Amino acid sequence: MDVKKQVIAIIAEQAVLEPSDVSMESTLEDLGIDSLGLVESIFAIEEAFDISIPFNANEPEKSDFDISSVATIIAGIEQLVNA
Amino acid sequence: MKRVVITGAGTINALGHDVPQTLAAMREGKCGIGELSLRDVDRLAVKIGAQVRGFEPDKIFNRQQLALYDRFTQFALVAAREALAQSGLEFSGELSAKTGVVLGNSGGGMQTLDENYRTVYEDGKNRVHPFVVPKLMNNAAASHISMEFNLKGPSFTVASACASSNHAMAQAFQMVRHAMSPVMITGGAESMLCFGGVKAWEGLRVMSKDACRPFSATRNGMVQGEGAGVFVFEEYEHAKARGAEILAEVIGFAMTSDAADIVMPSRQGASRAISGALADARINREEVGYINAHGTGTAANDKTECSAVADVFGPHADKLMISSTKSMHGHLIGGTGAVELLACIMALRDGVIAPTIGYEEADPECEMDVVPNQAREAQVDVALSNAFAFGGLNAVMALRRV
């Protein structure tokens, strides 16, 4: 499975949605994922890809890891996976 | 209703091994946070904390005691010894029968848990020391204080995460106020700075990797501490009759629940607790000169706390001082309110306001006088101590200068 499909599956599970309901433009807020859901998603992604995502809930904007949409999250993970 | 005063205080924390050392460090704005020294620290992402350094339990306790005392119990006993010595109280007869110990604690014997999980899971051993259970139970500290000082009244432990100590002290206050007991020993203790303890906190992604900077726009999370604070709460006439030194008077408290979110704080829950404490103490908001903030240094707490204070105090919010001493001694979780009460006592008795250190840049969402970086001399008549816990459990204490 490619990174995109796997990440969408993780996010969909967190949002209790079908993967087909998660679009690349969606924000986590659109999908109803709150701050706890976000850290849980990040944990699941780290476990799935065996990577470490630099993310501090106190300063999300300062992180190199952009969580503003599903597309930016996938791009960030692809970078980390390929690093 | 009886008046309740504090006639003894004791502590051990990253700033000092007793109250004078701790208050001197707060006056000087010293930072107790540093590189963590603990097993497997290289596997942690968060490598800083406010550890108690230079503590040599084997010089304070004997071999049998050490076999039964987790580090949080050791801290509680060290603090209790200082508080009881200052009070000058001896317990026998009726006083012994009525005096109890109510302590706050969140994690119990985390060091004991950590060590023994290693033994069975990592080392693969099938046998642990026979005292694991009595060592790790989170009432162990309260029980050992009761045994050491012959305290046979109501004793128990309160666990409400970061508000544990304030909830515990509120119970002790109630008992003395309503004449259930002339004296209660109260406060809190915590020792979570072990591999498993820090690793668990890392998971929430709210910990700072470099410093605790409450209210500063540059804040990036909380830093854990460890230690204990223990106080003697005594009925005013009882204290006066024996000529005891009175450190401060406890005049009120309030507790509320957010009933909203398991980790995100609520402005309304916090402001209801603050205004409830003022009402319980029967004081006007203009009388409050200092608030020891919960001030964890997280994005969520600090702005919620400041807006709650602004809600309750209105224009007076611009005149009062509010500081977070967690910037110096870290967040002691279940023990934090007890150590922070010392800053309130210092403000009331000594007229010295402990600073919020690490303050770098104003945050428009936290525009209050946070006593940045340097302690200040000021006369304060009434001080509040805030505690807002995970789980949405809030407890605020009100104290008055005597």
Side-chain angles (χ1 to χ4, degrees), chain B residues 242-261:
Chain B
R242 63 186 192 87
E245 186 195 353
I246 293 171
L247 305 178
E249 179 173 0
V250 187
I251 54 174
F253 81 96
M255 311 184 253
T256 63
S257 309
D258 296 342
D261 191 279

Side-chain angles (χ1 to χ4, degrees), chain A residues 49-71:
Chain A
F49 297 102
D50 192 23
I51 53 174
S52 269
I53 297 174
F55 177 78
N56 178 340
N58 294 294
E59 42 186 13
E61 71 290 345
K62 279 192 193 162
S63 171
D64 292 337
F65 191 75
D66 184 352
I67 55 159
S68 49
S69 73
V70 173

Side-chain angles (χ1 to χ4, degrees), chain B residues 255-276:
Chain B
M255 311 184 253
T256 63
S257 309
D258 296 342
D261 191 279
I262 196 69
V263 291
M264 292 302 283
S266 134
R267 169 181 185 162
Q268 203 196 25
S271 60
R272 284 196 301 125
I274 297 168
S275 54

Side-chain angles (χ1 to χ4, degrees), chain B residues 38-77:
Chain B
L38 52 84
R39 190 171 157 184
D40 292 337
V41 70
D42 54 307
R43 286 179 54 210
L44 292 171
V46 172
K47 293 181 166 59
I48 59 166
Q51 276 182 307
V52 173
R53 299 194 181 270
F55 179 56
E56 297 177 295
D58 49 338
K59 293 196 175 149
I60 302 170
F61 304 109
N62 66 33
R63 198 186 68 81
Q64 287 88 343
Q65 290 172 321
L66 288 170
L68 279 166
Y69 299 170
D70 182 89
R71 192 168 165 92
F72 89 102
T73 298
Q74 296 171 14
F75 289 157
L77 281 164

